[in-house]
Amino acid sequence: MSKKEVVRVIKAALELVPVVGSPLSKIVELLDSLLMLSSPQSEESDALKSITEMLSRTQSREFGVVAISACNYDYFIKIEKILSDYECQIIGKEEFPGGSGANTICGLSKLCTPEKGEETSIVSCVKNDERGQKITKSFIQHGVNIDLLLEDNASNQKTGITTILVELSGKREILVEPGINDSLSRIIQERGLFGELENRIKDSRIIHLTSFVDHAEMELQKRVLNYKETDTVVSFTPGALYVKKGLEMLYPILKDTNLLFLYKEQLDELLKSADFRGFNKHISIWKKSSLFFKWKVNKGIFQPMILVIKDSLKIQNGQIRQNYISIASGIDKMSFFGHSNINYRLRDSAIVDTTGAGDAVAAGFLYGLLKGKEGIRTFANIAFILATYVSTKFGARSGLIDGNTLERNLDRFE
């Protein structure tokens, strides 16, 4: 038995033991780290090279990225602990505009200069109410084009709401009321805007898709992919709502996807849905990524793809204790890179809330592509910096930074 196999067996055995306190948890995390580091690593990516070449042919287009995303208004409730049948006092409340793709597009817009080929655009809808007006104002403040942010007065639905319970450790519970987000496809249909939507897609270099609750909006996203040109890059953050549909249901989107953003647990759920032989939650991230790429090739998907696997930021005493961004990429063969920057710290800034960290990771990769950055490590460093900054403040956009701040922080990794 190899050393890697021994580590894997010990890790699996430890996870079967009920953990009391933190010692065993730390051992499990250490072994998981060793498994990642012992996997075949490569900073070379033929997929990144191919995607970069695609983008080089689209520089004349007006928009850098168009996001098709739900827009929600986020209510943060700070509490001591999230436990079943556990009463606790509310420590504080905050509220901000949100929505996964909306957060990503705002983060990207703040990073980029407002010039041709880097402009950002949102396709979504809000109710013309107080929350909807605040969402619209936030997009304007971040420099996002809102021509296709549709306001609706007739519907009896309200602007979407997300209630986020945040405990002191940073752990979260997220509750979604989609509201008018479920009416996006209907509003586009009733107003005859499919032609305008098609033009926006054709004039954008990257399409960024995120999840909706209602099935009609997923069908709208599939339709949008039929509008795109062959050299248009597709970025996809399925989130928990789409992941639970399984790989086969997501195939119509995945077959055109070039950038795929998942949390570790979401990758597990997707692989479990396909009933892969040899899959269990204890195998390494490298092995799980290999299974995903095997599915990709077996389905005849030969688009260059970069799979970004995010681990939740782990916080202790206001600092990031551990974080990984794992990147698997390839066209027909997979290369793998495991990224860890636990020594990176922001001076005089504590980590308070990880909401929006995953959206910031996506913004970092999209920024790297638009700016022509080179190397998987550079992309991972950008993503990690943005996720760290966002986590120093409540709300997914409060900690967003501009391009100059990002570039200064990137110098710390050289």
Side-chain angles (χ1 to χ4, degrees):
M1 183 179 290
S2 68
K3 291 181 180 179
K4 185 168 66 173
E5 289 171 331
V6 171
V7 169
R8 185 179 296 122
V9 170
I10 296 173
K11 177 179 181 290
L14 282 172
E15 289 189 347
L16 294 175
V17 180
V19 178
V20 180
S22 61
L24 285 180
S25 295
K26 292 180 179 179
I27 294 173
V28 169
E29 289 171 2
L30 177 60
L31 290 172
D32 194 46
S33 302
L34 292 173
L35 276 174
M36 178 177 292
L37 293 174
S38 64
S39 300
Q41 301 276 315
S42 174
E43 294 184 34
E44 299 296 324
S45 172
D46 58 344
L48 177 57
K49 181 179 178 181
S50 181
I51 294 169
T52 301
E53 290 173 352
M54 290 168 64
L55 281 173
S56 70
R57 298 191 292 269
T58 62
Q59 294 179 357
S60 62
R61 295 181 190 174
E62 184 69 25
F63 293 94
V65 181
V66 55
I68 303 175
S69 167
C71 286
N72 297 313
Y73 198 75
D74 294 344
Y75 289 93
F76 291 82
I77 301 175
K78 292 175 272 189
I79 59 177
E80 181 184 358
K81 282 186 179 296
I82 300 173
L83 293 172
S84 60
D85 300 322
Y86 178 82
E87 293 184 3
C88 62
Q89 183 179 357
I90 294 176
I91 300 172
K93 296 181 179 181
E94 302 276 0
E95 57 182 72
F96 306 94
S100 175
N103 295 332
T104 294
I105 208 71
C106 283
L108 178 63
S109 187
K110 187 160 185 176
L111 289 168
C112 291
T113 54
E115 59 185 32
K116 187 173 182 178
E118 293 187 6
E119 294 248 13
T120 59
S121 173
I122 183 74
V123 178
S124 191
C125 61
V126 293
K127 182 75 174 182
N128 189 14
D129 53 20
E130 183 179 358
R131 289 189 289 263
Q133 291 168 3
K134 289 180 179 179
I135 289 173
T136 300
K137 182 179 179 180
S138 178
F139 282 126
I140 294 172
Q141 290 174 336
H142 286 90
V144 178
N145 180 287
I146 59 169
D147 290 347
L148 290 174
L149 177 63
L150 308 176
E151 290 187 348
D152 184 66
N153 294 315
S155 173
N156 58 1
Q157 294 173 317
K158 298 180 180 180
T159 295
I161 299 171
T162 303
T163 302
I164 305 167
L165 305 180
V166 184
E167 67 175 35
L168 295 177
S169 69
K171 180 181 177 181
R172 299 171 298 152
E173 184 77 19
I174 303 174
L175 313 173
V176 179
E177 300 175 65
I180 201 169
N181 288 304
D182 285 349
S183 295
L184 177 59
S185 60
R186 173 187 62 79
I187 295 172
I188 291 175
Q189 176 72 46
E190 291 178 352
R191 299 185 187 179
L193 294 174
F194 279 111
E196 188 172 342
L197 177 58
E198 180 175 357
N199 291 336
R200 180 57 50 88
I201 296 301
K202 290 183 180 299
D203 203 22
S204 299
R205 304 172 70 191
I206 302 173
I207 305 169
H208 182 62
L209 305 177
T210 59
S211 61
F212 288 84
V213 172
D214 193 72
H215 181 70
E217 277 55 58
M218 187 176 189
E219 292 301 311
L220 171 67
Q221 291 175 327
K222 295 177 187 177
R223 179 171 178 171
V224 160
L225 292 177
N226 292 327
Y227 296 154
K228 77 177 188 70
E229 306 290 349
T230 56
D231 52 7
T232 301
V233 174
V234 176
S235 171
F236 185 30
T237 302
L241 293 175
Y242 275 9
V243 163
K244 69 181 181 181
K245 296 178 182 293
L247 276 174
E248 293 302 319
M249 285 288 290
L250 294 180
Y251 168 78
I253 297 178
L254 290 175
K255 67 180 178 62
D256 289 311
T257 297
N258 304 113
L259 293 166
L260 177 61
F261 300 93
L262 295 169
Y263 279 103
K264 285 201 313 183
E265 297 79 8
Q266 293 171 349
L267 177 59
D268 284 353
E269 190 170 348
L270 284 178
L271 295 176
K272 186 177 180 180
S273 74
D275 195 25
F276 279 102
R277 183 179 179 180
F279 166 74
N280 68 71
K281 69 177 183 179
H282 302 302
I283 62 177
S284 68
I285 291 292
W286 174 83
K287 181 62 176 176
K288 292 174 183 178
S289 302
S290 298
L291 289 175
F292 175 83
F293 272 82
K294 182 179 179 180
W295 173 85
K296 172 183 178 292
V297 172
N298 288 342
K299 294 294 289 186
I301 303 174
F302 295 102
Q303 286 274 2
M305 183 183 290
I306 298 174
L307 168 61
V308 182
I309 308 159
K310 304 167 289 185
D311 193 359
S312 300
L313 291 173
K314 295 176 177 64
I315 303 170
Q316 189 174 48
N317 299 324
Q319 294 293 336
I320 296 174
R321 179 165 56 88
Q322 186 182 41
N323 177 80
Y324 291 111
I325 299 173
S326 305
I327 304 167
S329 65
I331 299 174
D332 54 355
K333 294 182 180 180
M334 186 194 81
S335 61
F336 181 85
F337 173 68
H339 177 271
S340 174
N341 266 312
I342 58 175
N343 294 321
Y344 176 79
R345 296 285 185 272
L346 294 179
R347 301 176 182 88
D348 303 321
S349 294
I351 305 300
V352 297
D353 172 39
T354 61
T355 302
D359 305 330
V361 168
F365 272 77
L366 296 177
Y367 173 82
L369 286 174
L370 290 179
K371 290 296 186 181
K373 298 291 184 179
E374 296 183 359
I376 285 294
R377 180 180 292 275
T378 299
F379 280 70
N381 287 343
I382 293 171
F384 187 79
I385 292 168
L386 296 180
T388 303
Y389 266 98
V390 163
S391 301
T392 61
K393 296 183 180 180
F394 277 95
R397 304 179 196 172
S398 303
L400 293 176
I401 58 175
D402 59 25
N404 291 331
T405 303
L406 171 62
E407 296 297 336
R408 287 197 300 271
N409 278 267
L410 266 179
D411 292 340
R412 294 171 58 184
F413 290 100
E414 295 180 352

